């Protein structure tokens, strides 16, 4: 239906921007859009959650844990 890009395409577009090793991915409906939520372990060993708009591959938010 065109509401979301495949995960492989999202990773092609923003993989380098994640800056770390992907530890998990979830796909959720948030408000009026589909969002990929990546859990990423950075070089320092800290966990980040990165939210990506599934339709445009735009990073919406990055949270450090």
């Amino acid at each position: 239906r065109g509401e979301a890009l495949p995960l492989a395409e999202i990773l092609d577009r923003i993989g380098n921007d994640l800056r770390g090793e992907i530890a998990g991915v979830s796909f959720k409906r948030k408000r009026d859009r589909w969002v990929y939520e990546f859990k990423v372990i950075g070089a320092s060993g800290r966990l980040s959650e990165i939210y990506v708009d599934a339709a445009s591959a735009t990073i919406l938010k990055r949270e450090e844990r």
Side-chain angles (χ1 to χ4, degrees), residues 20-31:
E21 186 172 333
I22 298 171
V25 179
S26 61
F27 183 67
K28 302 176 184 179
R29 185 93 174 159
K30 295 215 177 205
R31 298 186 188 176

Side-chain angles (χ1 to χ4, degrees), residues 45-58:
R46 296 194 62 162
L47 180 67
S48 297
E49 291 181 354
I50 301 165
Y51 299 87
V52 178
D53 182 285
S56 67
T58 302

Side-chain angles (χ1 to χ4, degrees), residues 29-48:
R29 185 93 174 159
K30 295 215 177 205
R31 298 186 188 176
D32 61 340
R33 68 174 98 182
W34 287 101
V35 174
Y36 285 103
E37 178 183 325
F38 292 91
K39 294 193 186 313
V40 177
I41 300 171
S44 66
R46 296 194 62 162
L47 180 67
S48 297

